[in-house]
Amino acid sequence: VGNFFVTPMSRSLKPEKLHKTITLLELRISERFPASSLSRLSGELAQVSLRAQDRVNQMQRPILGLRVAVVVLLIVVGTPLVLIPFQLRLGNIRTTLDFIQVLEPALGTLFFLGAFVLTLIGLELRIKRNRVLSALHELRALAHIVDMHQLTKDPTPLREGHNTASSPSRDLSPYDLTRYYDYCSELLSLIAKLAALYVQGLPDPQATTAVDEIEGLCTGLSRKIWQKTMLVSVE
């Protein structure tokens, strides 16, 4: 599976490959469980993965407006700094006070320029981080929806008593039930991979932490599904 998602050269997730895998899973689910809500959910995840390709490409590109602002600022504010060496010529600087009067405003301008450039660079990172966090919120919601789909799928037969009017249906055979669980686990795994896709080119600790949380959520939900699958196998 790993070789399918990465190349020996880049060692990075490929959005188009991930989308292809999710689309194939959608077909598998719709063929085994046609017109099911799980099939519709997998189709929604396929659409999310398609949007993820555009989002990742967009986040990997610089925000030109901010970059232009930095260049313009460097030109406007930096031009007087270029003239400082000419002002510091021995012929124009006769005393220490003259030297301080020229150097002090120059250092203040340089400090202001550096601080503003760093602010613009940080602003670009914050904008990209907010976009990533918004996309991750969508994936987190999908993970919980996957869990809701398998929640009422009881792995054990009804031994005593009888169903009520509100009891969930138990019309899946043991084999189909295990396949249903497997599909849910695959959906959760792919959701985690989509989350990781967003931060592989964004070195931001906050976004990385959010991805780790989603991966932990998907792993925990998959573990619950695995436990239910084991109950089916022993019956």
Side-chain angles (χ1 to χ4, degrees):
V1 176
N3 292 333
F4 186 75
F5 287 119
V6 300
T7 62
M9 293 296 294
S10 62
R11 298 296 178 185
S12 61
L13 289 167
K14 298 298 181 182
E16 63 278 2
K17 298 292 186 180
L18 193 52
H19 173 68
K20 183 178 180 180
T21 299
I22 294 174
T23 302
L24 180 59
L25 178 59
E26 177 191 4
L27 291 175
R28 291 165 53 206
I29 296 175
S30 62
E31 290 170 357
R32 187 169 296 277
F33 302 107
S36 64
S37 57
L38 189 66
S39 175
R40 292 191 294 271
L41 177 60
S42 62
E44 183 177 350
L45 183 60
Q47 292 301 315
V48 170
S49 68
L50 189 60
R51 293 195 298 269
Q53 297 184 53
D54 297 330
R55 289 172 174 173
V56 170
N57 292 334
Q58 183 181 20
M59 284 184 291
Q60 290 177 347
R61 293 192 297 266
I63 301 178
L64 293 180
L66 290 177
R67 299 293 178 91
V68 171
V70 171
V71 173
V72 171
L73 181 65
L74 289 174
I75 294 175
V76 172
V77 182
T79 300
L81 297 178
V82 178
L83 303 177
I84 291 178
F86 298 99
Q87 298 178 11
L88 292 177
R89 289 182 305 175
L90 294 178
N92 296 332
I93 304 299
R94 295 183 174 85
T95 66
T96 304
L97 182 61
D98 293 337
F99 178 80
I100 294 176
Q101 287 177 346
V102 172
L103 191 61
E104 184 177 7
L107 292 177
T109 302
L110 185 62
F111 176 81
F112 167 78
L113 178 62
F116 197 75
V117 168
L118 290 177
T119 300
L120 289 179
I121 295 174
L123 179 60
E124 180 175 1
L125 181 60
R126 286 195 295 273
I127 291 175
K128 292 183 177 181
R129 176 201 300 153
N130 290 336
R131 291 173 180 173
V132 168
L133 294 179
S134 176
L136 294 179
H137 178 74
E138 182 181 31
L139 293 176
R140 186 182 294 106
L142 284 175
H144 284 291
I145 294 174
V146 172
D147 185 50
M148 288 296 297
H149 276 73
Q150 64 84 30
L151 192 63
T152 57
K153 297 297 186 291
D154 194 348
T156 58
L158 190 65
R159 292 189 175 89
E160 297 179 359
H162 59 279
N163 286 330
T164 67
S166 300
S167 296
S169 61
R170 295 180 174 88
D171 53 354
L172 294 179
S173 66
Y175 177 78
D176 285 339
L177 188 57
T178 56
R179 297 308 301 141
Y180 195 96
Y181 289 153
D182 288 342
Y183 290 149
C184 288
S185 294
E186 289 185 53
L187 286 171
L188 289 170
S189 178
L190 290 170
I191 288 173
K193 295 298 181 292
L194 276 175
L197 180 67
Y198 282 108
V199 296
Q200 66 180 5
L202 183 68
D204 180 71
Q206 186 174 341
T208 302
T209 299
V211 170
D212 291 341
E213 291 174 354
I214 291 180
E215 291 179 337
L217 171 65
C218 292
T219 300
L221 295 177
S222 294
R223 187 177 295 113
K224 290 198 311 180
I225 296 174
W226 177 81
Q227 291 172 349
K228 296 174 77 170
T229 303
M230 293 302 294
L231 290 176
V232 176
S233 14
V234 297
E235 293 293 334

